[in-house]
Amino acid sequence: MHILITAGPTREPLDPVRYLTNRSSGKMGYALAEAARDAGHQVTLISGPVHLSAPEGMEVIRVDSARQMFLAVQNHITKVAIAIFSAAVADYRPVMQADQKIKKNAASLTLQLERTEDILGSARSVFGFKGTLVGFAAETENLIANAQDKLSRKGCDLVVANDVSQAGIGFDSSENAVTLCFPGAKTVNLPQQSKMLLARDLMHHIIRIASDTDTGRAD
Ligand code: PMT
């Protein structure tokens, strides 16, 4: 099967030298991409700016901003059977991007932000994606309730709930622990382990969903 995976953070520029971003390292998304490749699948990895080398044996598309990630996903999602959104996409970007470096002339500075494109939320409604759709939910409270809400609102087949308030897992760590949230309120816990091992386990669940669902999608 052909699998699209988003990974890493996005950067939303303020001026030529500054940007808004988050602590995503890309490790979770890259581990998923490698697990999918190792299981014999064709992989398109759309990556925000990270310090990881491009994995071999797959198409890697590098982007910076949420807008660029949106366009890259739009260009590729109709060719794949499975789309997995593990990237930590900025929800807001500065309304204005200064042409020159902002000078510290004023005692304070107020930034006006606007919403970025909701890439996961566009998969079904804008891109018309009919394949297996997997979202992530990075939460610091009400983990399962928020993940179940995303599952139904965004038309996902699975949402991977990641408690990012716990030390040692989640953002920028080598290990992770997640709860898989399926339609019908079914949940499965994947306990703390390396992101590599967790990615293999997670990929088994995702492939099973895709194999069980005959949606007439492209391979
Ligand atoms: O990269 P690592 O350091 O390995 O860390 C892994 C991780 C913590 C980033 C990863 O496991 C994770 O939880 N990824 C989701 C991060 C996130 O931003 O979650 P969210 O709850 O804000 O977003 C929900 C879903 O919508 C995600 O699938 C996200 O990719 C997607 N999204 C969010 C905003 C947006 N504008 N467009 C999107 O598609």
Side-chain angles (χ1 to χ4, degrees):
M1 277 186 268
H2 191 170
I3 305 178
L4 179 153
I5 299 171
T6 70
T10 63
R11 286 178 180 170
E12 310 305 323
L14 277 166
D15 71 13
V17 295
R18 303 184 179 99
Y19 48 77
L20 302 181
T21 190
N22 60 65
R23 289 174 39 220
S24 170
S25 63
K27 285 178 193 165
M28 189 69 249
Y30 277 55
L32 281 164
E34 289 176 10
R37 177 203 60 199
D38 293 348
H41 301 286
Q42 184 186 346
V43 179
T44 297
L45 174 62
I46 299 178
S47 173
V50 297
H51 297 291
L52 304 172
S53 312
E56 290 184 4
M58 66 184 72
E59 179 184 26
V60 181
I61 299 162
R62 304 262 192 196
V63 298
D64 267 339
S65 66
R67 175 81 188 146
Q68 290 170 359
M69 189 172 278
F70 175 88
L71 292 173
V73 170
Q74 185 171 41
N75 282 338
H76 290 85
I77 196 165
T78 50
K79 302 174 208 154
V80 306
I82 300 173
I84 306 171
F85 291 81
S86 70
V89 185
D91 290 322
Y92 292 91
R93 71 176 148 240
V95 171
M96 299 290 292
Q97 185 186 339
D99 289 336
Q100 306 299 331
K101 184 178 171 224
I102 299 169
K103 304 298 285 179
K104 54 176 183 298
N105 296 331
S108 68
L109 179 68
T110 303
L111 292 178
Q112 195 184 350
L113 305 178
E114 63 184 8
R115 287 289 301 268
T116 56
E117 296 77 11
D118 180 354
I119 309 170
L120 177 62
S122 303
R124 301 284 192 215
S125 59
V126 179
F127 307 147
F129 180 60
K130 299 211 176 354
T132 299
L133 184 62
V134 179
F136 272 64
E139 306 288 347
T140 55
E141 57 181 351
N142 304 323
L143 179 68
I144 304 304
N146 286 334
Q148 294 285 7
D149 177 56
K150 281 193 176 108
L151 182 81
S152 55
R153 272 193 301 114
K154 315 229 165 178
C156 295
D157 298 291
L158 165 66
V159 166
V160 181
N162 205 162
D163 182 348
V164 291
S165 68
Q166 277 190 52
I169 63 167
F171 282 92
D172 200 17
S173 56
S174 304
E175 299 195 335
N176 210 357
V178 298
T179 302
L180 309 186
C181 297
F182 298 93
K186 184 187 163 200
T187 59
V188 172
N189 288 319
L190 301 186
Q192 185 166 345
Q193 57 198 304
S194 73
K195 283 180 176 170
M196 220 33 142
L197 287 176
L198 188 132
R200 276 186 218 162
D201 209 355
L202 181 48
M203 200 51 70
H204 286 141
H205 285 274
I206 294 169
I207 297 300
R208 192 173 320 126
I209 298 169
S211 308
D212 288 351
T213 318
D214 181 10
T215 53
R217 60 191 167 245
D219 243 4

